[in-house]
Amino acid sequence: MKNSIKARRRFGNGVVYVVLAALGLLWISPIVYLVISSFRAEKGSFLDGYIMPRGYTLDNYVRLFTDTDQFNYPRWFLNTFVVAVCSCIISTLFVLMVAYALSRLRFKMRRPIMNIALVLGMFPGFMSMIAIYHLLKVINLDKTLVALVLVYSAGAGLTYYITKGFFDTIPKAMDEAAILDGATRFQVFWKITIPMSKPIITYTVLTTFMAPWLDYIMASVIMKDNYQNYTIALGMYRMLERESIYEWYTAFCAGAVIVGIPIAILFIVMQRYYVEGVTGGSVKG
Amino acid sequence: MAAKADRQQKKDGLGATISRGVRGFGHAVSSFFKEIGAAFSQGDWRTRTSFIIMGFGCFTRKQFVKGLIYFAVEVLFILYMVFFGAHYLQDIGTLGTNLFDREWDEANQIWINIPGDNSMLILLYSVLSIFLCIFFLVIYFSNIRAAWQAQQMQTAGKKLPNFKKSLLGLLDEKLHVTLLTPPAIGVLMFTVLPVVFMICLAFTNFDRNHQPPGHLFTWVGLDNFKDIFGGNQLKSYTFFSLLLWTVIWAIFSTFINYFLGMLIALMINKKGIKLKGLWRTLFVVSIAVPAFVTLLLMRNMLQDAGTINVLLQDVLGWTDAPIHFLTDGTLARITVIIVNYWIGIPYSIIITSGILMNIPADLYESARIDGAGPWKQFTRITTPYMLFITTPYLITQFIQNFNNFNAIYFLTAGGPQTLAYYQAGSTDLLVTWLYKLTVQWQDYNLASTIGILVFVICAVISLATFNLTASAKREETFQ
């Protein structure tokens, strides 16, 4: 009797292993193939009648950084990095400011502001892209990197919700003690709350840093044809257009690998906070 | 106190919160006007002069810097209105009447360009001017209040705060003003203003045939909405077909995605399975690669002559002709849903596996004693528990998928194109259609109308479900 249960469990586990292995293979193979293609010597977006490349080379990587007339990969990488750093600093500050004010300070307009933010958050962001473009044109900022920074960070205040949830969990007694000792509320915010909020700051910094690397739609509307100011996503999308895909496909794969590495590292760092973030801190994963 | 209020809010659900917010807002407004009225009826001449010359009350009570700032705001506003804003605001009713024209200059024997009105700029600057007016009104009333308060304090014999003290107050009891102003300006400029502008466009005829500066556009009332709800057969057919497909897409890529992810997470977490870390990493690695890269890669592999077809045809020999993954309408829809599983399931795995480990073990223990098999445990314990915790996540996920631009645009760009639709393809979601209408076809009016409808649909769905789950939570199922 006992043996049969054990055997059944072993059989069950065997099935699970097979399924997991099959699925794992399915998930990992496109990425492996991407890496393989980035070292492929043959040109073209696919191979004619066979799958594994017949020759390997490092040229695709070299080419990204040397052949920059048409596709200026290093420049785009730098653009994206600068935009990401700036917008991540501004966004994080905005989010912390709004979250702290709405979580810790009491004032008349607190509830109305939270309700307005809730409704505003439901408007799809892309809906207003044309208006944003014309607005930027009016202040002579269209097709510039400054515009991208503004667009990515100006609305950040609306995404305060998760951070506010975190601030709500910090005991209020500390604030009160500090205020009794004569600290201003700003000092409480800057010297007590901020240092205690490392996890949520890390989460905010990483998510806002990653956004410009992944965004295509806003960047494409703002930059139009200004190749010099493209971001990575925009530029790499252009590589795969009909006229250039044959020449540039393998270089695209190489570029993808290069972008993928920092994002992968960031994601692994962030993973710990990710679950807490989306479930509003109700679960410690 | 705060925690209590928040709990209260969760219990009442969103609708009640909003209605309370509106009531509180109304109350604040009425008490505000009472104060202004009091300032007018009981104020002395200095306070009353502040109604016309801003900052007068403060300035004559020795709050010099404050008074000067108020005065400067008034002067700047009047200058802006006289030299710029009023010119555009007076055209807002018609959005411009003078077309661009050319005139023959007899004296110099050349054509002279006479610039016409630009409807787009008139609308944009008008909206901007209205915003500035509201902003000015806020400052105007705060000026009256400041004068009135200064008068009251002086009558009570208190010393008025000087400018330095007011500034320091911004870091202490008025810290919320300091903290909220910069983000609020950002939101006003780059969220509220554009949204208002786009809402206005939905009531105009700003399409590809009415492009400024060569042409003017004007208000057309509800015509665009009428077009979509039956007035224009092609547009309304496209809208409702794409809406149906968008809903199907969102359901498939949210709920089925979630359950498949949960199943895989259950398998990884199953007792006796080794190398849990390795399995999880296998799935999570795909998240680390930016989605636009993987989607473009998939698009390439799924071409008629792409890697997948080569694999099936030449290497494995399972098929004779290439499968049209992305070029056949129905097949393309299935393909994008499946490829989106590849992108989405790892996220579900991460989310669910954390929560799965939190399910109290004694729930399963007692179920087993009562003779429940694995399937029953899954449907009666795991699923309800998971849904209980992750409903808000699922709702936001649903809305995100409803508006999932990247997955569709990078894979098929909405294609294959079909003539049955107005400027859309079989796999277009409402959002990608909106994007195409604005960027490629410049049918801004139609695009804004769709944007408003998408907003209404998303808001209704999330408000309704948030309310439902709020009432479900009151039953305290798992406490």
Side-chain angles (χ1 to χ4, degrees):
Chain A
M1 184 67 193
K2 218 170 192 183
N3 256 343
S4 87
I5 289 177
K6 224 178 202 174
R8 244 170 68 191
R9 177 172 291 168
R10 197 169 297 157
F11 176 72
N13 281 352
V15 172
V16 170
Y17 276 126
V18 172
V19 173
L20 278 181
L23 289 175
L25 191 71
L26 208 61
W27 251 266
I28 204 78
S29 50
I31 294 166
V32 173
Y33 196 68
L34 175 77
V35 178
I36 291 174
S37 303
S38 75
F39 291 106
R40 188 172 80 194
E42 298 104 307
K43 282 199 172 116
S45 54
F46 20 72
L47 299 165
D48 196 18
Y50 57 100
I51 286 188
M52 294 315 266
R54 296 193 174 141
Y56 292 92
T57 170
L58 276 175
D59 282 356
N60 301 322
Y61 287 88
V62 176
R63 189 168 176 208
L64 275 180
F65 291 94
T66 49
D67 185 2
T68 55
D69 289 341
Q70 194 187 358
F71 296 111
N72 197 341
Y73 186 84
R75 167 90 200 218
W76 296 338
F77 198 93
L78 194 70
N79 285 345
T80 320
F81 184 77
V82 172
V83 169
V85 169
C86 296
S87 76
C88 138
I89 292 172
I90 301 177
S91 314
T92 309
L93 277 178
F94 276 14
V95 169
L96 290 175
M97 284 155 75
V98 174
Y100 184 82
L102 294 179
S103 155
R104 279 314 164 90
L105 305 173
R106 288 291 170 272
F107 47 95
K108 234 195 272 169
M109 292 296 282
R110 198 178 79 99
R111 284 240 162 262
I113 286 179
M114 284 168 66
N115 290 332
I116 293 169
L118 184 78
V119 175
L120 278 181
M122 282 176 197
F123 275 99
F126 50 82
M127 181 181 149
S128 45
M129 59 199 174
I130 287 305
I132 290 181
Y133 175 74
H134 288 299
L135 202 69
L136 291 165
K137 211 169 171 180
V138 167
I139 45 179
N140 260 328
L141 280 178
D142 59 316
K143 304 186 187 176
T144 62
L145 293 177
V146 181
L148 269 189
V149 174
L150 285 177
V151 167
Y152 290 139
S153 52
L158 288 177
T159 55
Y160 68 91
Y161 205 76
I162 293 167
T163 316
K164 177 184 174 286
F166 184 90
F167 284 158
D168 284 342
T169 63
I170 299 178
K172 233 180 166 176
M174 302 217 21
D175 300 16
E176 281 155 10
I179 286 179
L180 278 183
D181 287 343
T184 63
R185 283 177 182 75
F186 181 75
Q187 283 167 329
V188 173
F189 169 58
W190 198 246
K191 295 202 173 139
I192 296 180
T193 312
I194 295 285
M196 282 177 72
S197 313
K198 244 191 190 160
I200 200 69
I201 294 176
T202 318
Y203 173 78
T204 319
V205 166
L206 292 179
T207 40
T208 49
F209 182 82
M210 274 161 72
W213 299 89
L214 311 178
D215 171 69
Y216 171 83
I217 184 164
M218 270 301 173
S220 77
V221 169
I222 289 174
M223 287 312 166
K224 303 250 155 150
D225 54 354
N226 190 353
Y227 278 80
Q228 280 305 305
N229 281 346
Y230 271 17
T231 59
I232 282 285
L234 207 49
M236 287 179 57
Y237 186 75
R238 291 281 178 279
M239 281 187 185
L240 295 196
E241 262 167 10
R242 200 157 294 156
E243 309 81 49
S244 44
I245 187 167
Y246 180 78
E247 276 290 310
W248 282 89
Y249 181 74
T250 47
F252 165 84
C253 294
V257 172
I258 296 176
V259 184
I261 290 167
I263 301 224
I265 293 170
L266 287 182
F267 189 81
I268 290 162
V269 175
M270 198 185 76
Q271 201 189 332
R272 201 149 46 98
Y273 308 110
Y274 182 78
V275 178
E276 271 184 59
V278 287
T279 54
S282 61
V283 190
K284 305 273 185 275
Chain B
M1 180 61 198
K4 202 177 164 194
D6 284 346
R7 227 176 298 138
Q8 183 68 32
Q9 181 191 6
K10 263 182 208 149
K11 241 185 185 170
D12 292 357
L14 216 64
T17 316
I18 287 176
S19 83
R20 199 174 41 230
V22 169
R23 245 179 294 135
F25 186 70
H27 186 74
V29 167
S30 79
S31 77
F32 170 78
F33 277 108
K34 260 180 214 151
E35 198 179 355
I36 300 296
F40 190 72
S41 55
Q42 295 158 39
D44 61 7
W45 66 276
R46 286 189 275 203
T47 307
R48 283 191 193 171
T49 314
S50 302
F51 276 85
I52 302 165
I53 301 175
M54 284 172 63
F56 191 78
C58 292
F59 193 80
T60 50
R61 287 191 175 87
K62 301 208 170 128
Q63 290 178 311
F64 294 118
V65 184
K66 206 171 171 184
L68 281 178
I69 289 174
Y70 277 131
F71 188 66
V73 168
E74 184 174 16
V75 171
L76 283 178
F77 179 74
I78 291 173
L79 285 179
Y80 168 83
M81 268 310 179
V82 168
F83 289 107
F84 193 81
H87 166 67
Y88 286 103
L89 271 179
Q90 69 188 4
D91 281 336
I92 193 172
T94 58
L95 295 179
T97 44
N98 304 318
L99 260 177
F100 162 87
D101 204 1
R102 290 202 304 180
E103 200 173 63
W104 180 248
D105 182 357
E106 210 36 71
N108 296 315
Q109 297 288 308
I110 47 166
W111 285 100
I112 296 177
N113 289 340
I114 303 170
D117 292 332
N118 184 330
S119 309
M120 213 271 310
L121 288 182
I122 291 175
L123 186 58
L124 187 64
Y125 287 137
S126 297
V127 173
L128 189 69
S129 301
I130 292 171
F131 267 66
L132 285 175
C133 285
I134 296 172
F135 182 67
F136 173 74
L137 277 182
V138 170
I139 296 188
Y140 176 74
F141 284 119
S142 100
N143 139 66
I144 292 172
R145 253 171 96 181
W148 174 232
Q149 277 166 1
Q151 182 193 334
Q152 281 176 315
M153 281 174 89
Q154 220 170 33
T155 357
K158 282 186 213 151
K159 196 170 177 286
L160 290 178
N162 60 18
F163 187 63
K164 204 176 151 198
K165 217 166 173 189
S166 309
L167 273 190
L168 284 178
L170 282 178
L171 290 182
D172 204 0
E173 64 269 17
K174 286 229 179 281
L175 180 62
H176 58 271
V177 178
T178 322
L179 290 186
L180 288 178
T181 306
I185 291 175
V187 169
L188 276 176
M189 284 297 291
F190 285 93
T191 309
V192 182
L193 182 68
V195 163
V196 171
F197 179 73
M198 286 307 271
I199 290 176
C200 290
L201 284 190
F203 302 95
T204 68
N205 59 353
F206 189 9
D207 56 19
R208 72 185 81 167
N209 297 323
H210 297 84
Q211 289 290 320
H215 300 270
L216 297 167
F217 62 85
T218 187
W219 302 106
V220 294
L222 289 172
D223 281 7
N224 296 313
F225 291 91
K226 280 185 201 145
D227 269 1
I228 283 186
F229 290 105
N232 181 320
Q233 217 169 8
L234 185 59
K235 285 178 188 170
S236 105
Y237 175 71
T238 313
F239 178 79
F240 285 104
S241 317
L242 291 188
L243 176 64
L244 180 69
W245 157 238
T246 308
V247 171
I248 293 173
W249 152 268
I251 289 174
F252 270 91
S253 31
T254 309
F255 299 106
I256 299 191
N257 181 323
Y258 179 77
F259 274 101
L260 291 177
M262 194 160 86
L263 279 179
I264 297 179
L266 277 172
M267 284 195 250
I268 296 175
N269 286 349
K270 190 171 186 282
K271 227 193 243 167
I273 295 292
K274 291 191 182 110
L275 300 170
K276 291 185 197 302
L278 170 80
W279 298 119
R280 203 168 303 151
T281 318
L282 272 186
F283 293 100
V284 169
V285 164
S286 70
I287 299 186
V289 184
F292 76 91
V293 169
T294 39
L295 286 167
L296 287 174
L297 181 78
M298 292 285 190
R299 177 183 81 177
N300 205 55
M301 287 167 75
L302 289 165
Q303 300 288 328
D304 286 355
T307 314
I308 307 271
N309 271 322
V310 169
L311 181 73
L312 292 177
Q313 245 176 293
D314 300 328
V315 180
L316 297 172
W318 290 353
T319 52
D320 301 326
I323 302 174
H324 304 295
F325 288 111
L326 299 176
T327 42
D328 175 86
T330 323
L331 196 54
R333 288 186 168 184
I334 298 172
T335 311
V336 287
I337 289 182
I338 290 176
V339 172
N340 196 43
Y341 284 156
W342 190 89
I343 308 267
I345 284 180
Y347 286 96
S348 303
I349 296 177
I350 295 192
I351 301 292
T352 50
S353 66
I355 307 171
L356 282 172
M357 284 187 275
N358 276 24
I359 301 183
D362 47 341
L363 281 181
Y364 289 110
E365 202 64 43
S366 44
R368 221 168 299 141
I369 291 169
D370 290 345
W375 176 247
K376 228 173 192 160
Q377 288 176 27
F378 178 74
T379 54
R380 295 290 166 81
I381 300 176
T382 317
T383 314
Y385 186 94
M386 295 296 289
L387 287 180
F388 174 73
I389 296 213
T390 50
T391 313
Y393 167 73
L394 278 176
I395 297 168
T396 40
Q397 243 353 72
F398 185 85
I399 302 293
Q400 257 173 35
N401 277 316
F402 199 90
N403 295 328
N404 195 335
F405 176 83
N406 281 0
I408 298 293
Y409 191 75
F410 287 134
L411 266 183
T412 62
Q417 281 289 333
T418 143
L419 284 176
Y421 291 159
Y422 180 78
Q423 313 298 3
S426 325
T427 55
D428 258 323
L429 301 178
L430 287 177
V431 237
T432 50
W433 188 33
L434 188 158
Y435 178 84
K436 281 186 189 169
L437 285 176
T438 38
V439 174
Q440 289 174 13
W441 305 106
Q442 306 189 308
D443 279 334
Y444 297 125
N445 57 344
L446 188 57
S448 318
T449 315
I450 298 166
I452 292 176
L453 293 173
V454 167
F455 164 74
V456 171
I457 294 167
C458 292
V460 167
I461 290 175
S462 39
L463 284 178
T465 36
F466 266 121
N467 264 337
L468 285 179
T469 49
S471 59
K473 276 193 178 161
R474 232 173 296 171
E475 292 172 7
E476 299 175 347
T477 332
F478 288 98
Q479 286 175 7

